[in-house]
Amino acid sequence: MSFTQYDINGLVYHRADSFDAASGVMHGFATRTGGISEGAFASLNLGRSRGDQPESVRENYRRFEAALGGSLQQLVLCRQVHSDRVEVVTESDALPDLYAPTPFEADGLITNVPGLALAVFYADCIPVLLYDSVQQVVAAVHSGWRGTARGISGKAVSLMQEQFGSQPKDILAAIGPGICPQCFETHEDVPHALRELFGDEAKDYITPLPQEKFQVDLKGMIAHTLQVVGLPSQNIDDLSLCTACHPELYWSHRRLGEARGNQAAIIALQ
Ligand SMILES: [Zn+2]
């Protein structure tokens, strides 16, 4: 299985074929194209807190909603803090308005409530969507290097098991667009953090460079995390687009710093 790129009136986004084949779920990984925001936010900025015009952001959500072919009326967001905290959410966590305060800090959301749309934001960090079509549970995870080093995607799977009886063999995973190893050059802190959790297994995802620099394969590490908690490798798909290699498609925090918009990955049970 792989991903399909959709272009709906210039709004380009991706969906995992495995999720669509399993049916019962609406999901998508946005690019920066197809919205109405201007300047540094051009054009499909879905971030509320980066200084864009609220009316533009609202219209961008309406356009993404139309492209997804589902409803974003019951939207759940979290204040992302590069943690490994995953929250189970229900109707009461849906924002009454797009600009209502975000209820909590977390980097992962899980629900079994149909129609509740879970969103995570990314601009190099890796968005991961999970779908258990048997127990009907979905999750959205924001996995930057800190979250990856804490195994947040695996923790989301474990919480799906505990709370909803999900079996790892039934969980599909879609690893979305994010920074590639060649663009993710780090100091020793990142490989050190990965080795703390994964030990020697981390070394397959770390390439030493001269002058104590490293290239780190976050997506590979996330796929490994998911397999450690029991997902079969064929359940895990990786959209091999790098947010830093493709400035026409994505905002990249590495390239742009704070002067940028935010892409969102969204999932909802139908
Ligand atoms: Zn790259």
Side-chain angles (χ1 to χ4, degrees):
M1 292 279 184
S2 186
F3 287 78
T4 298
Q5 179 169 305
Y6 290 80
D7 182 340
I8 313 290
N9 300 320
L11 192 157
V12 176
Y13 78 102
H14 295 86
R15 295 213 309 242
D17 298 340
S18 59
F19 285 36
D20 286 338
S23 79
V25 69
M26 173 197 85
H27 80 290
F29 295 92
T31 67
R32 65 181 290 181
T33 74
I36 66 160
S37 295
E38 296 179 343
F41 304 111
S43 62
L44 190 71
N45 173 40
L46 298 169
R48 307 177 307 163
S49 57
R50 308 196 69 85
D52 196 359
Q53 300 291 326
E55 278 322 302
S56 300
V57 178
R58 288 181 193 279
E59 176 60 19
N60 292 340
Y61 271 90
R62 281 190 284 270
R63 290 186 182 204
F64 194 31
E65 181 176 50
L68 288 167
S71 170
L72 299 183
Q73 295 309 302
Q74 285 198 289
L75 187 66
V76 184
L77 310 178
C78 48
R79 201 157 52 250
Q80 297 177 177
V81 290
H82 295 279
S83 69
D84 59 354
R85 187 163 162 205
V86 182
E87 288 282 337
V88 175
V89 296
T90 65
E91 294 93 328
S92 64
D93 299 301
L95 295 179
D97 176 82
L98 182 59
Y99 275 82
T102 313
F104 42 74
E105 293 184 345
D107 289 272
L109 299 167
I110 295 177
T111 195
N112 68 342
V113 179
L116 208 59
L118 313 181
V120 289
F121 299 95
Y122 56 96
D124 292 343
C125 290
I126 320 290
V128 181
L129 299 180
L130 303 170
Y131 176 38
D132 173 359
S133 65
V134 176
Q135 298 297 332
Q136 286 291 296
V137 185
V138 290
V141 176
H142 163 254
S143 189
W145 73 262
R146 288 185 180 85
T148 302
R150 291 175 181 142
I152 186 171
S153 297
K155 288 183 178 168
V157 168
S158 299
L159 200 54
M160 289 167 76
Q161 289 179 268
E162 283 169 33
Q163 299 283 319
F164 301 108
S166 293
Q167 300 287 324
K169 68 175 173 55
D170 298 326
I171 298 176
L172 301 170
I175 302 172
I179 198 157
C180 76
Q182 288 71 36
C183 293
F184 191 43
E185 194 176 301
T186 77
H187 296 286
E188 167 58 28
D189 53 342
V190 179
H192 177 76
L194 293 174
R195 281 194 298 266
E196 280 203 344
L197 182 65
F198 297 103
D200 265 1
E201 290 171 358
K203 75 176 186 311
D204 293 347
Y205 308 96
I206 300 165
T207 306
L209 300 174
Q211 298 176 329
E212 294 179 41
K213 297 271 186 74
F214 301 86
Q215 284 180 350
V216 175
D217 178 4
L218 289 179
K219 292 180 169 203
M221 199 78 250
I222 292 167
H224 175 81
T225 305
L226 291 167
Q227 290 184 62
V228 166
V229 293
L231 268 69
S233 61
Q234 66 267 23
N235 286 24
I236 305 168
D237 282 309
D238 174 3
L239 175 59
S240 57
L241 278 168
C242 169
T243 43
C245 286
H246 296 280
E248 76 291 356
L249 272 184
Y250 296 109
W251 288 290
S252 160
H253 185 76
R254 277 249 157 169
R255 280 185 182 277
L256 301 166
E258 297 296 338
R260 59 172 175 82
N262 245 346
Q263 288 95 204
I266 294 183
I267 188 163
L269 292 166
Q270 287 177 318

